[in-house]
Structure formats: C-alpha cells, structure tokens
Amino acid sequence: MSDNTQAYDVVVIGGGAAGLSGALALGRARRSVLVIDAGDPRNAPASHVHNYLGREGTPPGELLAIGRDEVAGYGVEVVTGEVTVVERLPEDSGFRVVRGDGATVTARRLLVATGLTDELPPIPGLAERWGREVLHCPYCHGWEVRDAAIGVIATSPMAVHQALLWRQWSEDITLFLHGGPEPTDEEYEQLAARGIAVVDGEVAGLEVTDDRLTGVRLAGGRVVERAAVVVQTKLTARSGLLESLGLRPVEAEMVGQRIGSYIEADPAGATEATNVWVAGNVTGLLDQVIGAAAAGLKAGAAINGDLVTEDTRRAVRARNAPSDAEMWDDRYRESHRIWSGKPNTVLVREVEDLAPGRALDLGCGEGADAVWLAGRGWQVTATDISRVALGRAAEHAAAAGVADRVDWQFHDLGATFPEGAYDLVSAQFLHSMGDLPRERILHRAARAVAPGGVLLIVGHAGFPAWDHHHAHMELPTPDEVLAQLELPEGEWEVLLSDEHERVQNDPDGNPTTRTDNALKVRRR
C-alpha cells in the first residue's frame, strides 16, 4: 500500500438509511467519513417509504437524495461503487477497503450497512410485480391496499399468522395453501372466525391485465381474482464482506420458523470483529427504514465514542513519549559518528555534472552531503531535526574549510520548511523512526525547486533484518513517489527512476547487499 492512499476515520459500506444516518452522526462529530454505496437498496421497488415520522410517503430515492445532501453538509463523502475487498491492516491498525474500480482507501473503523436480500418463492410473475402488488409487510404496504382483495400464498407455517395479520387491513383475504403445511383444526377455526377463505392447490402464477395484477392462477387453471398478493420472503443478510473478517451469519427464527440470516451485534451495532459495527437490515432483519436509521445513529455514536477513547490513549502516549527531535538527538549521542562521513554515492553521480547554484539538503545528518556540495561551489542550506547532528555537521564544515558556504538550519520538516527556491533539492534517505509525513515533505520539496532546477530523491527499497529502527516502515517505489508528487503535466521532466544495489557492512562488519531506489526530476 502506497503512502498516498486516502485514510478516513470511518468507512461506511452501504448508503441506505442506516449507513447515511451513521455517517450523519459521525460527520457532525467532525470525523472524516466515506460512504460507499452500491446503489441497490432493498426498498428500490417500492414507490414510497412509510412509518417514517416527518417523511411519510416519501419515495425511497428521494429520501436517499435528501440524506446524501444532509451528510455532505458535514463533510461526509459519498461515492457510488461496490466494495470488493476488505482486509485488516497489520497489528489491527485499521482496514484496507478496495472498490470494484480499484480505488483503495483505509479506515480506522468500519460501519457495514449492506442490508439484506429478499428471496422470493419460485412462482412465475412474483418478481416482476415485487414492490407493486406483490407485498410482504402490512405495516409497510397495508394501508395502500386497504379493503382490496388480497391473497396470501403459503410457503411456511407462518402463512396463517400472515393471513390473520393482513385481515386487519381488509375483509377480503384468501389464503392459498400452495406448498405450505395444512392448517391445524385450531387454525382453521381462527381463519373461519375471521372470514378468511382457504384455497387448496398449487399456485402456478399471476394474472396481469393492462399492467395490473388481477388474479392468482392455480395449477389446474382456475383463477382467483385478487388485487394484491402477500408472500413470505427469505431474508438473507448481505454479509459476504463481513465473512471475510471472520463474521458468520446466524439463522433467524420466528414462531419456530427459519426466516433468514443476520449478523449478530450488541445494541449499539458492535460485532465480535474488532472495530467493525453493523446497522440496519444486515443485523436487524425486521427493521423498517426508520428503525434502520435509528440503528445507524446508535452505531455512529458508538463508533465516535470508541475513537475518542483511542484518540485519548494516543494523546497520553504521545505526551509521555519523546519527540522526534529528542529521539534523533539520543541516537546521535550513542556514538561520536553514525554515518560514514562520505557523501551519498547517488548524489555524487547525479550532481557532479550540474553547474553549482543554490542547494537544499533535507535531513542532512552529520553533513557529509552538504560539505561535499559546498566543496564543489554550491551555496547550501542544510536542515535536520537533530541539533546534535547539526552541531556535528557544522564542525565538519569548518574542518573542510566550507563553513561560509553552508547555512545549517533546524527544521522539523513536517511543521516548518526552509524558505526560498533552489537549483537542487536533495532528499537522501528521508526516513524516520518517528511519524514523518514524508509525502507532504516531498510535495514541499518539489515546490522549492527553481525553474531549471533538479529534485533528487533517494530512498531504501528494503531494510535488512538487523535494522530495527526502520523494519516496519512503508517503502514506496520510485513510480509511487512520482505519483505522490502530483507534478503538473508538462512542467517536469523525469531524468532517472530506478532501483540499484549497493554494498553495506552490517553491525558486525560483514558486507551485505541492499537495494535502494532513486528518482530525479527537472523543472522545465
């Protein structure tokens, strides 16, 4: 993973009511949030959303558009796309999230609101009328078909319960036994008492006239006039991404009947997978839109609280830890000389033919490169985060007779940067034991190059096992460094981009071969 991968506090996967509600809470908490929405909400076939106080009767697409506008007002980013890969970063430091188009981001926390899939019984015509006259929830659709002729197609022991429930909205209810079990004597008595007709035989399909449902067709050819049909769907959580993180769906039951699968979570949406929350139908199969939105809010607040705890822990650790400057000072004090005292070989090779001018040496250490440049006629500004190293470098410059040609400056390059424009900007092995914002520093380095000037960046391509200071550091390739610089097209010329081997002695004095890389670009 390269350093230019965009990082967020939270990535929300799923842009329905649950995901957007969670994103809204997090955006208002001033978190950096990305919502990735595949654009296939469960309620897309429905014409309106119901039981959502203040938004009753709003079309689903309109409600989502309103939600997107609201979260954008708090800095939340929403993109359309499908997430194909989610994987943990080392040491539980977050997640890598990859979209179908290859775009990759990282996140400290995940909120998964991918919803569920309604699997319809295999009866011809159901799918085509789904969300119109083929219904499942009386609280979602009952009012719209009140007093109509409604058919309930039995596919499970829940059918009698469904028929009795829908009887609240219409007196004209017919239960089609289809493939469901025979009602018990008690259930037949209940159905008769409520005036619900029962029809034997398998349902072969639906009758549609002028694009309107008109009846239910039985296998024998008989058609029973109906204006709406109720079916029980299998509610299957969209849990594939979560399964890659070790979360497995569990079976959901109602009245002893399996109705689907869901991902287990606590009341705030936290799962057994560290730093992963869920909200909406992926965990609450029976949640309507308003319930999913409420679940998203609870999950968003819980995630922010968890991040506050982590941020505080980090702040305490940072408060008690030495600064980068102190770490480097301590390292330089370990020995009277850390580096060889010789200029870097790539610098010598790539600069010896350049006409001397103004040079900037970033991270000069004990000053070998700056002293060499000054000896060849360059006027050098040399920076480092260690005052111990700068003092040592100034002594070396004085001994070489070039003290007047080098300006030694203390800079924590992540916070301050030398002023001016330079004919050469050199960043040799700009790696750090601390939290060095290397990409940002190199952006500033490029801006410091004068027209006709050169930027030379040399870095390690890997570290030997004995180098414990840098063993876990991310090391970009020259192509990745070039991409990170985001140089304006046509304004720069690439003179060198390669990897090379060199010999270096290990701590016991044994020669070893290691690989470095170099990028050299000239501003036109």
Side-chain angles (χ1 to χ4, degrees), residues 221-264:
R222 178 189 171 195
V223 175
V224 180
E225 292 185 1
R226 296 287 94 182
V229 166
V230 174
V231 295
Q232 179 183 341
T233 62
K234 180 182 176 184
L235 310 174
T236 303
R238 295 171 176 169
S239 59
L241 293 172
L242 291 165
E243 291 180 42
S244 69
L245 298 173
L247 292 170
R248 298 288 183 268
V250 299
E251 299 298 316
E253 293 187 356
M254 178 179 290
V255 195
Q257 171 69 22
R258 180 185 180 278
I259 62 170
S261 62
Y262 68 100
I263 296 296
E264 287 186 307

Side-chain angles (χ1 to χ4, degrees), residues 159-207:
V160 172
H161 170 74
Q162 283 182 292
L164 294 171
L165 187 60
W166 278 87
R167 176 61 179 79
Q168 177 65 27
W169 280 265
S170 175
E171 296 180 356
D172 189 358
I173 304 292
T174 295
L175 173 61
F176 295 88
L177 293 184
H178 185 55
E182 183 81 13
T184 64
D185 291 343
E186 181 182 2
E187 288 174 331
Y188 267 123
E189 184 176 7
Q190 292 171 345
L191 294 166
R194 293 291 283 161
I196 298 172
V198 178
V199 175
D200 290 323
E202 183 177 348
V203 173
L206 303 182
E207 289 289 312

Side-chain angles (χ1 to χ4, degrees), residues 328-348:
W328 279 106
D329 281 346
D330 289 343
R331 188 177 179 199
Y332 278 106
R333 290 189 185 105
E334 291 174 0
S335 173
H336 75 282
R337 169 170 280 177
I338 289 181
W339 313 118
S340 68
K342 300 177 181 179
N344 283 296
T345 55
V346 175
L347 175 75
V348 172

Side-chain angles (χ1 to χ4, degrees), residues 128-129 132-133 207-214:
E128 291 79 4
R129 315 304 296 180
R132 299 172 66 183
E133 302 102 344
E207 289 289 312
V208 177
T209 303
D210 295 331
D211 198 30
R212 292 187 61 185
L213 177 67
T214 57

